Amino acid sequence: MNSLYPELAHALPEAILAVGAIVLVLFGAIRGKDSSGPTSEIAVAILGAAILSIVLGSPVEGVVFNNAFIDDHFADFMKVLSLSGSIVTLLMSGDFMRRAGVDKFEFPVLIVLATLGMLMLISANGLISLYLGLELMSLSLYVVAALSRDDARASEAGLKYFVLGALSSGMLLYGASLLYGFAGTVTFTGIAAAIGEHPNMGVVFGLVFLLAGLAFKMSVVPFHMWTPDVYEGAPTPVTTFFASAPKVAAVAIATRVIITAFPGALGQWQQVIVFMALASMALGSFAAIGQTNIKRLMAYSSIGHMGFALVGLAAGTQAGVQGVLTYMAIYMVMTLGAFAAILSMRVDGRPVEKITDLAGLSKTDPAMAFFLSMLMFSLAGVPPLAGFFAKFYVFMAAVEAHLYWLAVIGVLTSAVAAFYYLRVVKIIYFDEAAPAFDKATFTQRTVLALASLAMLLFWVYPAPLVQAATSAAKSLF
């Protein structure tokens, strides 16, 4: 029993979320139908307490629970990102869920449980803990996607995500069982020691299946097919959540698995990552051009951005991992800001989702027009905004790893993607004004303003983020 307390100290954020989720369920059950409002506030407090436990906790790294769980700077960095995404989603979603009639107390509970799964996933140090974290996250996301039961599109989105998610979980589990069979251990360091410099065909098969399962959660090509339909069909706050925190967790575990479990199989996994990066950048850039729905546009945008993030991972170096971490932090801020604007798109109390609904926004709401335009410029990678630096770091890592052609294709697809981001800016400033939006909530306007100002002013003082990402990347090597 005495040895359990030091181990629990390393898993304090997870313990806070687990206890918090139980408290929320009991609170909701006791309060009944009146519980929806306070439940969100309590959930935000629980997630905030988890962040504080990471930021103020001991900087000592450790591997606990029989090598199943690792607490290091890499995990801390990604956990703070995931928790932040969950908190912002909950803060922005209250008004939308109330108006849509789906402000059930289960929504904050499921967000907390999904976030608990993400934290377990980010700190997984073996195949079993990886699968446990992934499934806890996924099962919560399946329910959240179909939360609006009376909406046919939301039900269809939930069903598509569930069916394809179950398939991807099966593939991941098959890959994990192959790896266990050939390596004789489930821990990542044990697998690295067992397979050495020359992995056999069975290990390569296991690695490919494992990456396929993780690729689904990252929504990279060729496992992206659910993304546009689920983004469009799910309620907008749910889409906001899908686009931010779970992506961070999926990229985190993919990075940890590749760097710590397969350092000797660089030639094998690099081919898979390079293919997924190229295909995702290309599809994300070209498929978004014809979109008319802003949420579908953001879906293809996120596929493209995951491709750009994988360029850094393909390098397989510390600089590459640092690039991935910086990219994910900047991507999440841009995405949350953009979705704050999408949540504000409401005419006569009814949400609108067409890109043309933004026409003439500069005349009806100049502040929102400016902030959203800055985010679009940043997503396009226009200097000196933060989105440019995010791409710069991953492309430089690829160049240093002699993957010149990958960086060149990344720059070219980035130029193609700029077309549809700039088209949104053109519609906002130069098209005939559409009906004015209803007044956005204070939280939505605040998130939009802070996100765009962070992107605009990142170049003034990038040191804190870059240093934190460097420290996090170093702990993996």
Side-chain angles (χ1 to χ4, degrees):
M1 188 71 182
N2 290 341
S3 67
L4 187 62
Y5 294 117
E7 296 200 341
L8 267 178
H10 286 291
L12 188 57
E14 289 79 2
I16 290 169
L17 293 194
V19 173
I22 295 167
V23 170
L24 280 175
V25 171
L26 291 172
F27 178 79
I30 293 164
R31 282 288 297 262
K33 289 185 177 176
D34 305 325
S35 61
S36 57
T39 317
S40 275
E41 277 82 66
I42 298 167
V44 168
I46 292 164
L47 293 164
I51 285 190
L52 283 176
S53 72
I54 294 170
V55 175
L56 304 176
S58 167
V60 178
E61 300 186 355
V63 181
V64 292
F65 304 124
N66 289 331
N67 291 330
F69 187 96
I70 185 165
D71 175 26
D72 56 8
H73 294 313
F74 176 83
D76 290 346
F77 183 92
M78 294 309 242
K79 283 177 185 179
V80 169
L81 282 188
S82 294
L83 287 161
S84 304
S86 303
I87 288 172
V88 174
T89 301
L90 279 175
L91 288 173
M92 290 197 298
S93 62
D95 179 66
F96 186 100
M97 294 306 229
R98 255 191 311 281
R99 288 171 186 254
V102 285
D103 55 335
K104 303 178 173 73
F105 88 86
E106 291 93 337
F107 178 64
V109 178
L110 288 164
I111 295 286
V112 171
L113 284 171
T115 311
L116 172 58
M118 288 175 222
L119 301 199
M120 289 172 64
L121 189 61
I122 291 167
S123 275
N125 193 43
L127 299 172
I128 294 173
S129 44
L130 181 156
Y131 190 70
L132 281 173
L134 189 80
E135 283 307 291
L136 180 55
M137 177 180 87
S138 300
L139 291 170
S140 305
L141 294 180
Y142 298 149
V143 182
V144 169
L147 198 67
S148 185
R149 286 178 300 184
D150 300 330
D151 183 350
R153 285 195 318 167
S155 299
E156 182 190 349
L159 187 63
K160 278 181 179 171
Y161 187 57
F162 171 68
V163 171
L164 292 168
L167 173 69
S168 79
S169 291
M171 292 170 77
L172 184 135
L173 203 53
Y174 181 60
S177 61
L178 276 174
L179 288 171
Y180 173 63
F182 282 96
T185 178
V186 291
T187 63
F188 297 154
T189 46
I191 291 169
I195 64 175
E197 295 291 317
H198 304 287
N200 60 35
M201 193 55 73
V203 168
V204 174
F205 264 96
L207 171 60
V208 170
F209 275 105
L210 192 72
L211 288 178
L214 295 175
F216 177 88
K217 301 302 175 197
M218 291 187 281
S219 71
V220 295
V221 179
F223 303 97
H224 66 285
M225 62 290 283
W226 61 274
T227 315
D229 293 335
V230 173
Y231 272 45
E232 184 184 8
T236 308
V238 174
T239 308
T240 308
F241 186 57
F242 271 63
S244 53
K247 290 270 170 68
V248 171
V251 169
I253 192 59
T255 305
R256 188 185 290 285
V257 167
I258 280 170
I259 299 299
T260 58
F262 300 100
L266 176 74
Q268 285 76 11
W269 62 253
Q270 196 176 52
Q271 295 173 43
V272 179
I273 298 295
V274 165
F275 167 75
M276 292 197 297
L278 288 173
S280 301
M281 290 189 295
L283 183 112
S285 299
F286 287 99
I289 290 173
Q291 299 305 319
T292 56
N293 183 293
I294 188 87
K295 282 160 74 176
R296 285 186 81 87
L297 179 91
M298 290 304 292
Y300 285 109
S301 164
S302 82
I303 293 168
H305 280 287
M306 288 303 103
F308 290 123
L310 289 183
V311 170
L313 184 54
T317 60
Q318 189 178 312
V321 172
Q322 183 225 319
V324 172
L325 298 181
T326 310
Y327 198 102
M328 290 312 296
I330 292 171
Y331 162 79
M332 199 175 78
V333 176
M334 294 189 293
T335 302
L336 290 170
F339 273 101
I342 295 169
L343 283 162
S344 308
M345 291 170 63
R346 199 175 267 285
V347 178
D348 298 329
R350 187 177 50 83
V352 290
E353 295 175 359
K354 289 272 184 285
I355 297 171
T356 49
D357 291 315
L358 289 164
L361 184 65
S362 59
K363 299 175 187 70
T364 56
D365 192 340
M368 181 177 165
F370 172 76
F371 290 136
L372 182 56
S373 298
M374 287 303 107
L375 287 169
M376 288 296 147
F377 281 129
S378 187
L379 284 160
V382 174
L385 281 81
F388 165 76
F389 290 100
K391 289 177 179 170
F392 175 77
Y393 287 129
V394 291
F395 291 158
M396 279 304 294
V399 168
E400 286 169 12
H402 307 297
L403 297 171
Y404 305 113
W405 53 277
L406 182 60
V408 169
I409 293 172
V411 172
L412 294 174
T413 52
S414 193
V416 173
F419 168 78
Y420 59 79
Y421 293 124
L422 299 183
R423 189 183 62 160
V424 174
V425 179
K426 172 254 175 192
I427 287 169
I428 288 172
Y429 278 94
F430 299 108
D431 282 19
E432 199 63 41
F437 294 145
D438 301 349
K439 188 165 174 57
T441 66
F442 174 74
T443 310
Q444 288 163 359
R445 292 189 84 85
T446 304
V447 171
L448 174 60
L450 290 176
S452 53
L453 288 172
M455 297 301 98
L456 198 56
L457 301 174
F458 174 79
W459 64 275
V460 177
Y461 191 48
L465 176 60
V466 175
Q467 284 169 1
T470 305
S471 170
K474 199 179 288 181
S475 70
L476 276 191
F477 287 86

